[in-house]
Amino acid sequence: MEFQNLLITNKGRVQQITINRESKLNALNKDTLAELHSAFTEAFQNPEVGGIIITGAGPKAFVAGLISVSLQR
């Protein structure tokens, strides 16, 4: 699956999921949460993935928080 807000890389049996919203300090919104759910579902169903690392893009923030206004739509 292709994602708008996530970057997925695999090295051996380890999958890295990078939240890629650096301009928003990787703040979570409805779309990003849905993409994370899909990414985890795919990883858990893939027998070649033995572990997952979650990280955020850029040097300033892992995840700045949740944009709750986006959940109301």
Side-chain angles (χ1 to χ4, degrees):
M1 179 175 195
E2 229 176 274
F3 299 107
Q4 298 298 312
N5 298 313
L6 303 178
L7 300 173
I8 309 292
T9 56
N10 294 297
K11 187 172 185 179
R13 292 181 37 88
V14 177
Q15 184 173 88
Q16 180 170 311
I17 300 173
T18 302
I19 300 167
N20 191 28
R21 299 186 71 225
E22 186 175 357
S23 66
K24 304 290 185 191
L25 297 176
N26 302 314
L28 301 174
N29 62 12
K30 186 177 181 179
D31 293 336
T32 306
L33 290 171
E35 288 185 11
L36 282 167
H37 182 269
S38 295
F40 278 113
T41 300
E42 288 179 20
F44 291 149
Q45 293 174 350
N46 184 346
E48 295 187 17
V49 174
I52 300 171
I53 297 170
I54 306 168
T55 188
K60 291 187 177 182
F62 165 61
V63 171
L66 176 68
I67 301 174
S68 61
V69 172
S70 71
L71 299 178
Q72 296 173 2
R73 295 181 192 161

